[in-house]
Amino acid sequence: MCWLAKLTGLFVKVDAGVASEEQGDVMGVGRKAALAVGSGTLIVALGCLVGSSVPAVAGVIQPVPFVTGHIISAGHMAQPPTTAECEADYDVACYQPSQLESAYNLAPLFARGIEGQGETIVIVDAFGSPSIVSDLDTFDAETGLPNPPSFQVITPEGPITTNPSDCASEYSPTGPDLCSDYYGWTDETSLDVEWSHAMAPEANILLVETPMTETEGIYGFPQIVAAENYVIDHHLGDVITQSFGATEQTFTSPSQIYSLRSAYENAARNGVTVLASSGDEGSTDYYCDPSSGCADPNDADCCYSTQAIDWPSSDPLVTAVGGTQLHLNDQGYRTAPDSVWHDLSSTVGIPGPVYTWGSSGGGHSTVFSRPSFQNGVAGVVGGSRGTPDIAMSAAVNGAVVYYDTTDPSVAGWSIVGGTSEASPLFSGIVALADQVAGHSLGYLNPALYALAQSGQPDGIVPISQGDNTYTFCPPDDYLTSGPYAGLECASQSDLVTVSGFSADGSYNDATGWGTVDAAVFVPALASFAGRGAPPHPPHPPSPPHPWRPWHFGP
């Protein structure tokens, strides 16, 4: 079996030589299906089994969900692969928990008993995964992690009716949900649970499953908001991580987004931190005509020809987590400084004109004006809310291992990247800081920005290399025949480039303030956040620009 990988929101899998009605028609679905993910990027061939010469794209494209940050590159592995094995087999690096613990300097905290004891990380995912409890057991056993003190799964918005026996191969407005969508969320769930746990191994985990998928626009968000309000009202957790998002322009108006903010306002009032992945399309994002409702993955394509960012990461009450590329050896020591996550199609083996495979989402909101905590970086963000705020590992060339047995295409160990990885990683860091502070840090952004501008040792490591400029091939310009149909762009002249933002060693719209040295950052953040945030966080007023019809497509 060979694989295609899709970042941000959608990942695409390819079975070499296996065509089925469920997977659809590669000519008819092609690139469009691959782009059917909210914050997603493109799809990519990462190769087949060791020694195989079969092109990884010699198969049929199957779209999967609108979740931010997914990249699946291989499956059916009996053990978690090492960095050397991934480099040899797939030409990309991959990492295990011990390597990221070293990279983020967690050992000094763990040695002092700061491992998240007494804190609860809340993970929100559509559908969840029926095998996640046993999958986490295996992940822990194989990677040397302890089981969390408590791992609970709740469904406050009703039972999950979508399952392997009740899903569809083709979209229908009357349901059931797509099987590919369902399995995509099981992979997302495994990533979120396993890697938040890896950063704070003694924190409790609460998985909140919702019964509707999240796509672009408003679809799926009312259930997410209600579930998060339930968690907050019942004081069930300290930090919420969200590995999903929808392009601001796919909502019908700013007021539609404002109608969905109650959970974040509730969280800020009640001392709960909320995080979100910033997206995987760098300076732009997926487009979908809001009038369509965006429930059908075929209604979404890559990308806007102008700058665009995701909500909820654009919300000032949410801490937006962007993506970096780690450069590590087998022990987790850096071989080069972290850089902006910016993978290319050539990185993952796609021939022809080179375009961006995935990059750290970031830019300026068209819905929210600049919040007061960003006044010190007004020269960067202007009059708008800028994202991201902070960044963690997200690169495909630097993917992390994960374990999922529900998705039959994975059925064991695989590797994944995207900002869907970055947000759960940072949720573990926040849980550690909560433990040090002795209470939940709550609404985090004012303290994070005050810390970064304090001039004191803060553990924030600036990023000085790379940018999130995004180059894409319009959906109709991919080759329609040959082994790379739907992946290889027909001509260099077809490519569209959306200018992005460069990392310059200070705050920027590609990686925010940068990444973290946890041994220093955790106690520093706990100290600053302990000084108190406003009891009633600012409610951003009208949009920074007059509302106007969205511009779709290139």
Side-chain angles (χ1 to χ4, degrees):
M1 174 174 286
C2 304
W3 292 83
L4 289 183
K6 158 60 186 125
L7 333 183
T8 276
L10 159 129
F11 56 83
V12 176
K13 308 169 189 176
V14 170
D15 294 338
V18 179
S20 71
E21 181 177 313
E22 175 177 343
Q23 289 174 307
D25 173 18
V26 68
M27 299 304 176
V29 180
R31 178 62 171 181
K32 192 176 186 77
L35 298 177
V37 181
S39 196
T41 342
L42 314 182
I43 43 181
V44 54
L46 292 182
C48 303
L49 300 178
V50 181
S52 174
S53 60
V54 179
V57 291
V60 187
I61 295 176
Q62 175 185 356
V64 262
F66 287 73
V67 283
T68 299
H70 244 116
I71 301 183
I72 308 282
S73 59
H76 296 274
M77 291 186 263
Q79 291 86 33
T82 65
T83 301
E85 288 169 341
C86 283
E87 290 174 337
D89 296 347
Y90 310 113
D91 293 324
V92 297
C94 67
Y95 304 127
Q96 297 189 18
S98 61
Q99 291 166 283
L100 264 64
E101 289 169 11
S102 175
Y104 291 118
N105 199 20
L106 292 168
L109 297 171
F110 290 178
R112 292 165 49 199
I114 301 169
E115 301 167 288
Q117 285 89 338
E119 311 304 326
T120 299
I121 299 171
V122 179
I123 296 158
V124 182
D125 280 314
F127 306 146
S129 171
S131 62
I132 186 57
V133 174
S134 61
D135 287 346
L136 180 60
D137 283 343
T138 301
F139 182 85
D140 289 344
E142 292 287 339
T143 61
L145 291 169
N147 294 132
S150 171
F151 179 25
Q152 296 183 330
V153 180
I154 62 172
T155 56
E157 282 301 288
I160 308 303
T161 58
T162 304
N163 57 64
S165 300
D166 188 14
C167 60
S169 60
E170 295 183 3
Y171 173 77
S172 168
T174 59
D177 292 291
L178 289 171
C179 295
S180 56
D181 196 11
Y182 170 73
Y183 289 127
W185 280 103
T186 71
D187 293 317
E188 178 66 69
T189 299
S190 295
L191 168 64
D192 295 347
V193 169
E194 290 162 9
W195 280 93
S196 60
H197 172 58
M199 295 292 99
E202 293 296 338
N204 302 317
I205 301 291
L206 176 65
L207 173 61
V208 182
E209 299 174 347
T210 61
M212 283 185 66
T213 186
E214 179 269 319
T215 61
E216 288 288 358
I218 196 172
Y219 198 82
F221 271 112
Q223 292 73 26
I224 289 170
V225 171
E228 291 178 342
N229 272 319
Y230 178 90
V231 168
I232 298 160
D233 290 343
H234 291 83
H235 309 287
L236 300 182
D238 304 291
V239 53
I240 297 172
T241 176
Q242 306 170 110
S243 289
F244 49 78
T247 312
E248 287 183 335
Q249 288 92 324
T250 62
F251 293 88
T252 57
S253 68
S255 62
Q256 191 175 59
I257 290 178
Y258 272 75
S259 73
L260 297 168
R261 301 185 71 227
S262 64
Y264 308 140
E265 294 167 342
N266 195 7
R269 287 192 299 268
N270 287 279
V272 177
T273 302
V274 183
L275 314 176
S277 304
S278 69
D280 297 359
E281 281 69 53
S283 55
T284 185
D285 220 325
Y286 276 83
Y287 70 83
C288 177
D289 184 348
S291 66
S292 73
C294 300
D296 182 356
N298 292 315
D299 290 337
D301 271 314
C302 180
C303 281
Y304 286 93
S305 60
T306 54
Q307 293 175 353
I309 61 174
D310 272 352
W311 183 85
S313 63
S314 66
D315 199 299
L317 300 180
V318 174
T319 299
V321 188
T324 64
Q325 181 177 11
L326 289 171
H327 310 271
L328 308 177
N329 63 16
D330 286 340
Q331 288 73 46
Y333 298 124
R334 283 175 172 80
T335 59
D338 298 6
S339 53
V340 179
W341 168 37
H342 194 119
D343 285 313
L344 302 176
S345 57
S346 56
T347 304
V348 294
I350 296 176
V354 176
Y355 54 86
T356 309
W357 185 251
S359 187
S360 177
H364 304 148
S365 176
T366 59
V367 174
F368 298 98
S369 57
R370 186 184 71 239
S372 59
F373 63 78
Q374 288 193 315
N375 285 344
V377 294
V380 178
V381 303
S384 302
R385 158 68 161 139
T387 66
D389 301 305
I390 201 76
M392 301 289 281
S393 171
V396 182
N397 188 5
V400 293
V401 304
Y402 77 105
Y403 190 79
D404 177 19
T405 56
T406 293
D407 182 351
S409 298
V410 175
W413 290 96
S414 189
I415 61 175
V416 64
T419 55
S420 272
E421 170 198 344
S423 185
L425 290 177
F426 194 65
S427 73
I429 299 296
V430 173
L432 302 180
D434 287 346
Q435 181 187 350
V436 171
H439 58 82
S440 173
L441 302 185
Y443 176 41
L444 196 63
N445 288 339
L448 177 62
Y449 279 72
L451 172 63
Q453 297 170 97
S454 69
Q456 301 179 21
D458 56 20
I460 296 174
V461 182
I463 305 299
S464 302
Q465 300 178 18
D467 62 69
N468 68 349
T469 292
Y470 202 85
T471 297
F472 66 95
C473 186
D476 293 337
D477 294 332
Y478 285 90
L479 295 181
T480 57
S481 61
Y484 292 91
L487 294 172
E488 181 180 349
C489 199
S491 170
Q492 185 76 27
S493 63
D494 293 332
L495 298 178
V496 177
T497 296
V498 180
S499 178
F501 307 92
S502 297
D504 58 4
S506 59
Y507 177 87
N508 62 81
D509 289 309
T511 58
W513 287 108
T515 191
V516 302
D517 174 343
V520 180
F521 177 77
V522 163
L525 182 64
S527 174
F528 266 74
R531 300 177 187 182
H536 300 288
H539 188 118
S542 58
H545 310 293
W547 187 252
R548 57 191 181 278
W550 299 110
H551 172 65
F552 294 99

